[in-house]
Amino acid sequence: MFQAPRGTRDFTPDEMEKRRYVERNMTSTFLSFGYGEIQTPTFENIELFTAKSGESILNELYNLTDKGGRELALRPELTAPVIRCYVERLQMEPKPLKFFYFGNCYRYDRPQKGRYREFQQAGCEIIGVDTTEAIAELLALAFNLLKNVGLKNVRLNIGNLTIINAIFKRLNLRKDDQKILLPLIDKSQFDDLKVSLEDCGISEKNIEQFISILQRSEANEIRSFIADDPDAIKELSIMETIIGLLKNAFQITAYDIKLNIVRGLDYYKGLVFEIDAPLLGAEKQLCGGGSYELVSLFGGTEVPTSGFAIGLDRTILALEAEGFKFPPSKLDAYIIPVNPDMICKSIEIVQQLRNQGFSADFDQMRRGIGKSLKYADSKHIEKVIIVGPKELEKNAVTLRDMKTGNQDIVSIAEIGSNLKKI
Ligand code: HAM
């Protein structure tokens, strides 16, 4: 027996219903924020992903050499592809450009619940603007996308890499040391971080203050620690303005400043953020994003760029963990021919309803009324149309309400208007 490859999944119609619900809901939120949909290829030239991150990212990539000898990779994310497309085709477009996307991504991760080798992202990029209002709106969009799909329990965590770098500078930490420290900061492994900082020769007092800033992220404490760095002080006040807009204009209060949000991808700079669903445990990060620089690396004229991506698979897991009832998509009507002579007329009726915009199906198993009614019930179909010879003589059918069990004789021409009465 064949099995789906490790880290991949099949989605049955019941599961697809949930995925499509989330996609539809998120699409309407993206559109309501003035974003337009963009689609890029599933695979790209491998340099697109190694250009910023170097060869180390190869461990995470699904890469291949095609028959023409080209080195390709299945996309691990869509930010680099969208920026490649922008540089290739869209640089002259009026700014800002607001793009959203849905797409499968591929990472050679160690699979577990919420972490797959093939997974789906819903994301967006905003190009050509980085005013405080644009970034505040980006954060609000991420938050609203998750709220609008029905999640109750989400929290936005906001960090800043300029400020973290200023702290590293103040502590005289070398780039090599930072590479060891960043993952510990990212995972909030403060005990290990303390040991590593000691190994780097940082004083006890500075270690304590740094870890306190990471844990509490209190603006005044941060300000006093980076007071000698004007760029970082400016960045802090920009961040405070963004948060002010988030709170006062977008009315979002479920946020924290968390300087331990440092993000794994190499292209970020300045403000970064994540949204977690605490109920999910280890793989609780639903969304990640921030401001980044890729345009000039890809040969374009540098413009501000920011964005985020939400894991669709984890969003569904989070909804399930909260007991969310996904809206079922059920047939408007099920048609049962009482005998084989009624099949042709039944199909005519099904087609009539489909042409009127209803979803309709008919019994193709010839299993008789009792079993067909049971089947309709198991599929939660509320209206059943029974096509029998006696009624048909008068150009009519029996319309059964499955909830109440009530039956009416209605003329074929009026089935549609009767269904609308529901
Ligand atoms: P990321 O944090 O690597 O960011 O991924 C975004 C989201 O994708 C995560 O928060 C998570 O929900 C989901 N995700 C990541 N890896 C997996 C996996 N193996 N299985 C299931 N879900 C996963 C990015 O990809 C950036 N491109 C976001 C961005 C857009 N930054 C700026 N613009």
Side-chain angles (χ1 to χ4, degrees):
M1 195 176 64
F2 291 114
Q3 287 182 334
R6 186 163 146 79
T8 69
R9 291 147 303 147
D10 301 309
F11 300 107
T12 62
D14 283 350
E15 289 157 345
M16 281 310 296
E17 219 171 273
K18 297 179 182 181
R19 299 175 80 78
R20 293 292 186 222
Y21 156 74
V22 171
E23 278 177 14
R24 274 196 307 275
N25 191 292
M26 287 188 173
T27 299
S28 73
T29 304
F30 276 127
L31 293 172
S32 76
F33 274 67
Y35 279 71
E37 188 164 8
I38 191 165
Q39 200 174 49
T40 62
T42 309
F43 56 83
E44 296 274 354
N45 291 314
I46 200 161
E47 294 86 33
L48 191 73
F49 304 113
T50 52
K52 184 77 194 174
S53 311
E55 301 290 307
S56 63
I57 200 179
L58 282 176
N59 294 334
E60 290 170 33
L61 283 181
Y62 270 91
N63 52 321
L64 60 132
T65 310
D66 77 2
K67 292 188 178 66
R70 297 172 196 88
E71 292 292 330
L72 304 170
L74 298 182
R75 61 183 175 208
E77 54 111 42
L78 281 99
T79 304
V82 168
I83 297 304
R84 182 214 25 84
C85 168
Y86 163 74
V87 172
E88 214 179 314
R89 296 184 46 189
L90 302 166
Q91 287 198 81
M92 302 312 283
E93 296 283 312
K95 308 288 185 301
L97 293 167
K98 291 170 141 187
F99 300 132
F100 76 94
Y101 49 78
F102 291 89
N104 280 5
C105 300
Y106 303 85
R107 294 185 191 178
Y108 200 75
D109 266 333
R110 203 162 41 79
Q112 62 182 71
K113 189 172 182 202
R115 198 200 297 153
Y116 312 101
R117 289 183 171 173
E118 182 185 53
F119 61 97
Q120 198 186 348
Q121 282 190 347
C124 67
E125 314 298 334
I126 179 161
I127 302 172
V129 66
D130 62 356
T131 54
T132 49
E133 55 274 31
I135 304 300
E137 189 199 50
L138 185 75
L139 299 181
L141 172 57
F143 193 81
N144 280 321
L145 281 162
L146 292 170
K147 277 284 174 187
N148 291 352
V149 293
L151 281 170
K152 295 200 165 60
N153 208 348
V154 283
R155 227 173 152 84
L156 173 63
N157 296 317
I158 306 166
N160 196 297
L161 296 177
T162 308
I163 296 172
I164 284 289
N165 284 328
I167 295 175
F168 284 159
K169 209 162 102 193
R170 151 110 203 250
L171 298 176
N172 278 325
L173 286 163
R174 292 176 301 127
K175 277 264 172 278
D176 285 351
D177 295 330
Q178 296 176 21
K179 276 202 182 127
I180 298 168
L181 300 173
L182 280 171
L184 300 176
I185 296 173
D186 191 27
K187 295 195 186 90
S188 299
Q189 292 173 343
F190 296 120
D191 291 340
D192 295 341
L193 180 65
K194 187 164 183 278
V195 174
S196 293
L197 286 166
E198 281 164 1
D199 291 346
C200 296
I202 309 298
S203 74
E204 196 66 32
K205 185 169 160 248
N206 276 340
I207 293 177
E208 243 171 58
Q209 217 171 347
F210 182 26
I211 291 182
S212 157
I213 284 174
L214 288 177
Q215 282 176 322
R216 298 191 309 140
S217 297
E218 208 274 304
N220 284 337
E221 196 178 0
I222 301 169
R223 190 172 279 108
S224 73
F225 202 69
I226 55 170
D228 296 340
D229 191 322
D231 287 345
I233 289 288
K234 192 170 150 213
E235 188 71 25
L236 183 61
S237 62
I238 289 173
M239 197 159 112
E240 285 178 309
T241 308
I242 291 169
I243 288 170
L245 286 172
L246 196 64
K247 197 164 84 183
N248 302 320
F250 290 101
Q251 329 259 289
I252 291 171
T253 52
Y255 66 82
D256 294 298
I257 301 178
K258 282 219 170 147
L259 284 188
N260 61 329
I261 303 292
V262 289
R263 310 283 298 130
L265 298 157
D266 290 330
Y267 46 59
Y268 290 106
K269 52 150 205 129
L271 188 135
V272 285
F273 64 97
E274 291 179 356
I275 301 179
D276 287 347
L279 288 180
L280 285 192
E283 301 303 322
K284 66 178 188 304
Q285 191 199 307
L286 295 184
C287 171
S291 298
Y292 58 90
E293 273 172 3
L294 278 177
V295 172
S296 58
L297 186 73
F298 293 169
T301 309
E302 196 56 64
V303 286
T305 44
S306 308
F308 62 80
I310 293 175
L312 211 97
D313 309 86
R314 289 184 195 174
T315 303
I316 290 165
L317 289 173
L319 284 166
E320 286 170 344
E322 288 190 359
F324 179 77
K325 294 268 171 289
F326 288 84
S329 83
K330 37 184 191 235
L331 283 172
D332 294 318
Y334 191 66
I335 289 84
I336 306 174
V338 301
N339 65 43
D341 292 341
M342 300 293 114
I343 290 173
C344 186
K345 196 69 196 173
S346 297
I347 294 172
E348 265 181 48
I349 294 169
V350 171
Q351 285 297 89
Q352 170 190 315
L353 291 176
R354 288 173 180 164
N355 291 335
Q356 289 171 353
F358 295 102
S359 57
D361 200 0
F362 66 103
D363 171 43
Q364 299 173 352
M365 307 265 291
R366 302 188 182 185
R367 61 186 143 196
I369 296 185
K371 282 188 179 160
S372 290
L373 285 176
K374 254 194 193 157
Y375 171 79
D377 201 39
S378 75
K379 293 282 174 191
H380 310 292
I381 302 166
E382 284 167 20
K383 299 281 176 179
V384 164
I385 292 153
I386 301 162
V387 184
K390 224 171 76 201
E391 293 77 21
L392 211 52
E393 273 175 22
K394 294 179 202 140
N395 256 333
V397 292
T398 305
L399 181 63
R400 181 184 172 94
D401 184 317
M402 294 295 284
K403 266 194 185 153
T404 60
N406 291 344
Q407 298 197 160
D408 282 326
I409 307 293
V410 296
S411 82
I412 291 176
E414 284 169 9
I415 299 175
S417 50
N418 271 277
L419 287 182
K420 276 188 199 124
K421 275 192 207 152
I422 297 169

